[in-house]
Amino acid sequence: MAQQWWKESVVYQIYPRSFNDGNGDGIGDIKGITEKLDYLKELGIDVVWLSPVYQSPNDDNGYDISDYRNIMDEFGTMEDWNEMLDEMHNRGIRLVMDLVVNHSSDEHTWFSEARKSKDNPYRDYYIWREGKGDQPPNNWGSFFGGSAWQYDEESEEYFLHLFSKKQPDLNWENEKLREEVYDLMKFWLDKGVDGFRMDVINLISKTPGLPDADVTADSPYQWGGEYFVNGPKFIDYMNEMNEKVLKKFDAMTVGEMPMATPEDGKRYTNEDTGIVNMLFQFEHMDVTSGPGGKWDQQPWKLTDLKRIISKWQTELHGTGWNSLYMENHDQPRSVSVFGDDQEYRVTSAKMLAAWLHFLQGTPYIYQGQELGMTNVYFNSIEQYEDIETLNMYKEEVIEKGETPEKVLEAIHKKGRDNARTPMQWTDEENAGFTTGNPWLKVNDNYHEINARKALSNEDSTFYFYKKLIRLRKELPVMIHGDYQLHLEEDENLYVYTRSYNGRSLLLAANFSKETCEMRLPHTLNGGELLVHNYQDVGHHLQNESIMRPYEVKAYLL
Ligand code: TEU
Ligand code: CA
């Protein structure tokens, strides 16, 4: 496969609202990011993916954009942004911006024009339909609860919003709208950005006629994914975008694609005929979801995680490319879900880090993951800010009469604010994130978990990540090697090997609190120890060994 800079990169995701507040108003901002670039340089990452910083009324923290070509006032100015980009590039760090074009904000001028009347020139930039009597045009539910349709009194039709009602879906069938999107992409690429993370990009094409979804849930609103996930013109639109914009730039693209299967991944990331360089799939994030979906969290099985990851690893090998992630701004903290956020917090954070970085694909680190930051357990709904969480709480507690305790328990496990509490920089007030009043409360554990402390301890998770990032630069097998799973049925141990040009490496991880015996095939022994998270580990791999709680070790064979 071809060498590409984004294959050899490690990406760091910044959620700007929660990263670092430069002016004391309690909200992270662009100057705050620029102040911390030396920290990122020290970690060794190559690329920053910056969640949206465009003008937005913040119904969904920037994922509802009202002006694609200007910076949100709370985050600073375009001059601040220009300076940030220069300072990144000076340090050899690339910048990937978030592209949110399945929907805009209802406060975008396109939408305020569109809703004026049925014959407004911008009307067709959005998806409008008449209701069925006093019912919405179809039975689709929104990702954030309730109907996916909102009635507009002024112009007497419904508009589609797969997310909040302040996030109307854009109508990609309209060629002028598509040209607007391509123009704004060019605007940012001309300013020097190095690529895009594309928000829910596989939802942009809706099946004509917008048919009713099958009734599968006991609710007036149903999952209509069949009619908008990887829709009929999705690939055509993406080919057009590549043709008209992306092929002129050396830009990296990663598409966020709910419901994508490994077969989709293989097709969409194909080196010659694909539409994006890599994509974010959700299958491994969903191993903890029960039949009731994301709020119905269940104990998870390592064999399920193995089955999913192994399928992606082998399916895409040689023709496509994986993205590797365990956290982002929508997901709970990985150490709280897949590790142990108490006794073995540091040990399990390192285990997860090594397990992820030795896989095939481009790793993504979410801010604070390198510190082993944990979920937050607020005890009242008042302390939460996320629209998805608040809508769900209202629906469950106020409308359906569920107990607050039970709903809070689900929020503790899966709420998006778990990832959005401010970055923990120091053990000073508000974790050094702000001198003001933080927009979302800091996690109480910042005295124990913070960057300053991590930087002063050579055995910290921070330096463990740093070492993994460096190893990816030194060992081509980490980038290009194939993938083979061992001990497939084991519910505690995850063992895989990678091979490339006569070099092999082995990673063995204990995903449990138990001490386990590990018996490997006879061919797997010897070699040289690369990373480990316990002190006394043999320098050569043994066929039979003991794996302590959350132990990880990797060998170059
Ligand atoms: O997320 C899309 C998505 O499918 C989910 O992760 C979603 O956030 C939620 O968890 C559904 O239950 C993207 C962004 O990452 C997210 O922050 C935005 O809220 C969403 O799109 C809308 O732009
Ligand atoms: Ca600020």
Side-chain angles (χ1 to χ4, degrees):
M1 287 190 85
Q3 303 279 118
Q4 300 278 7
W5 60 265
W6 42 263
K7 292 181 182 166
E8 281 153 39
S9 294
V10 174
V11 184
Y12 187 92
Q13 184 193 351
I14 292 182
Y15 192 68
R17 206 172 184 78
S18 306
F19 190 62
N20 185 36
D21 178 13
N23 66 352
D25 67 353
I27 297 169
D29 48 46
I30 289 175
K31 277 204 155 76
I33 296 171
T34 308
E35 278 170 24
K36 296 294 185 186
L37 293 178
D38 286 334
Y39 170 83
L40 298 182
K41 186 72 200 159
E42 171 71 21
L43 183 59
I45 55 95
D46 308 279
V47 179
V48 165
W49 153 27
L50 182 58
S51 277
V53 292
Y54 317 97
Q55 288 253 343
S56 163
N58 283 308
D59 190 50
D60 187 18
N61 289 353
Y63 282 90
D64 49 320
I65 297 171
S66 54
D67 181 348
Y68 288 93
R69 294 166 195 245
N70 275 303
I71 300 297
M72 190 190 302
D73 295 336
E74 287 172 333
F75 290 168
T77 62
M78 191 62 92
E79 283 68 54
D80 297 337
W81 185 90
N82 292 337
E83 187 197 357
M84 176 191 72
L85 181 66
D86 286 346
E87 291 297 327
M88 285 180 174
H89 285 169
N90 288 342
R91 288 168 178 78
I93 296 173
R94 288 179 158 101
L95 176 64
V96 163
M97 294 281 274
D98 220 305
L99 181 74
V100 188
V101 290
N102 172 68
H103 44 267
S104 73
S105 163
D106 67 339
E107 296 185 33
H108 195 291
T109 50
W110 296 338
F111 193 75
S112 42
E113 281 299 314
R115 76 185 335 170
K116 281 185 182 160
S117 71
K118 288 185 183 128
D119 49 19
N120 187 282
Y122 289 95
R123 183 73 171 181
D124 193 46
Y125 275 30
Y126 296 88
I127 301 171
W128 299 91
R129 292 289 185 278
E130 282 180 5
K132 287 184 185 158
D134 60 353
Q135 293 300 305
N138 71 22
N139 65 357
W140 298 357
S142 140
F143 278 81
F144 292 160
S147 169
W149 294 93
Q150 176 69 19
Y151 187 66
D152 180 54
E153 302 283 347
E154 224 176 307
S155 62
E156 301 183 318
E157 272 183 332
Y158 289 81
F159 64 85
L160 178 71
H161 62 90
L162 292 180
F163 292 89
S164 93
K165 44 177 179 273
K166 287 183 66 62
Q167 293 169 300
D169 280 55
L170 290 164
N171 179 20
W172 277 71
E173 302 266 336
N174 183 304
E175 196 186 325
K176 278 227 225 71
L177 178 273
R178 297 202 303 277
E179 290 298 332
E180 300 260 19
V181 171
Y182 305 150
D183 279 353
L184 75 88
M185 293 175 74
K186 274 182 243 155
F187 172 83
W188 289 102
L189 289 164
D190 286 336
K191 284 179 75 64
V193 311
D194 302 287
F196 293 107
R197 174 268 186 188
M198 302 176 176
D199 193 65
V200 289
I201 197 67
N202 66 332
L203 310 188
I204 59 176
S205 166
K206 280 83 180 171
T207 299
L210 312 177
D212 271 324
D214 289 347
V215 177
T216 53
D218 175 22
S219 150
Y221 311 116
Q222 305 297 322
W223 166 244
E226 193 188 333
Y227 302 115
F228 56 73
V229 174
N230 309 333
K233 297 213 183 121
F234 170 49
I235 293 188
D236 293 346
Y237 297 151
M238 294 304 287
N239 282 336
E240 185 180 69
M241 178 195 288
N242 275 287
E243 191 54 38
K244 293 202 165 173
V245 185
L246 292 165
K247 79 165 193 209
K248 298 173 186 137
F249 298 86
D250 181 22
M252 156 187 153
T253 56
V254 50
E256 187 205 27
M257 302 200 195
M259 315 301 289
T261 63
E263 290 73 22
D264 298 328
K266 183 175 180 158
R267 180 169 180 211
Y268 297 157
T269 69
N270 182 285
E271 209 161 69
D272 305 316
T273 56
I275 52 177
V276 286
N277 297 144
M278 54 193 136
L279 56 85
F280 292 132
Q281 52 90 16
F282 286 75
E283 283 193 297
H284 65 309
M285 291 284 107
D286 293 337
V287 289
T288 59
S289 297
K294 79 173 269 184
W295 298 112
D296 176 23
Q297 291 288 291
Q298 304 286 338
W300 63 282
K301 281 166 70 188
L302 187 64
T303 45
D304 287 334
L305 185 69
K306 285 182 190 176
R307 181 178 37 77
I308 293 164
I309 295 293
S310 301
K311 182 117 200 259
W312 280 91
Q313 290 284 299
T314 44
E315 191 77 27
L316 271 56
H317 182 72
T319 58
W321 197 253
N322 276 291
S323 67
L324 307 168
Y325 77 97
M326 289 300 266
E327 291 186 21
N328 62 39
H329 64 292
D330 296 331
Q331 299 295 336
R333 291 291 184 174
S334 59
V335 73
S336 298
V337 181
F338 297 98
D340 170 56
D341 64 11
Q342 302 295 317
E343 187 183 353
Y344 297 108
R345 186 184 64 82
V346 171
T347 311
S348 64
K350 290 178 180 174
M351 181 278 286
L352 291 168
W355 170 80
L356 192 75
H357 280 74
F358 280 97
L359 288 170
Q360 188 274 323
T362 298
Y364 288 72
I365 303 168
Y366 178 69
Q367 65 186 41
Q369 187 176 349
E370 77 282 14
L371 306 175
M373 277 178 64
T374 70
N375 277 357
V376 71
Y377 304 99
F378 293 144
N379 47 34
S380 139
I381 191 66
E382 266 76 65
Q383 290 167 301
Y384 287 92
E385 293 287 341
D386 172 32
I387 179 169
E388 182 191 36
T389 297
L390 299 180
N391 284 358
M392 186 280 283
Y393 186 90
K394 211 161 64 201
E395 209 170 295
E396 293 299 314
V397 176
I398 299 166
E399 288 159 32
K400 295 191 193 153
E402 195 52 86
T403 66
E405 293 70 34
K406 205 174 154 208
V407 177
L408 273 174
E409 203 183 303
I411 295 171
H412 291 166
K413 288 195 176 133
K414 198 65 180 182
R416 303 196 299 181
D417 283 338
N418 281 310
R420 300 177 182 186
T421 61
M423 176 76 175
Q424 293 164 206
W425 293 106
T426 69
D427 64 358
E428 288 157 45
E429 210 184 346
N430 291 319
F433 162 71
T434 180
T435 53
N437 194 13
W439 72 277
L440 178 68
K441 220 170 110 354
V442 173
N443 192 318
D444 284 337
N445 61 21
Y446 70 88
H447 298 283
E448 171 64 22
I449 308 170
N450 64 69
R452 185 182 288 165
K453 196 168 166 191
L455 288 168
S456 67
N457 171 8
E458 62 181 34
D459 204 26
S460 66
T461 51
F462 179 93
Y463 290 115
F464 195 82
Y465 269 94
K466 179 174 176 165
K467 179 164 185 191
L468 291 167
I469 296 167
R470 180 170 52 77
L471 282 173
R472 289 184 69 95
K473 308 263 178 286
E474 293 168 3
L475 300 171
V477 60
M478 281 180 84
I479 314 289
H480 302 288
D482 65 3
Y483 166 95
Q484 198 189 345
L485 181 68
H486 303 273
L487 312 183
E488 193 176 337
E489 308 294 330
D490 198 299
E491 287 294 357
N492 297 322
L493 301 177
Y494 197 131
V495 181
Y496 61 82
T497 46
R498 311 261 325 267
S499 302
Y500 177 70
N501 272 353
R503 286 326 288 267
S504 292
L505 58 82
L506 174 138
L507 178 126
N510 184 352
F511 271 75
S512 82
K513 268 195 187 87
E514 316 293 318
T515 296
C516 310
E517 262 179 65
M518 181 167 71
R519 290 207 182 83
L520 296 172
H522 284 290
T523 47
L524 297 177
N525 58 39
E528 166 205 341
L529 184 64
L530 290 172
V531 296
H532 54 98
N533 62 350
Y534 275 82
Q535 284 317 319
D536 43 340
V537 180
H539 274 284
H540 304 295
L541 177 63
Q542 311 281 329
N543 297 128
E544 292 191 11
S545 63
I546 295 295
M547 291 290 283
R548 289 160 285 191
Y550 297 105
E551 181 161 6
V552 71
K553 44 197 186 186
Y555 291 87
L556 192 60
L557 301 178

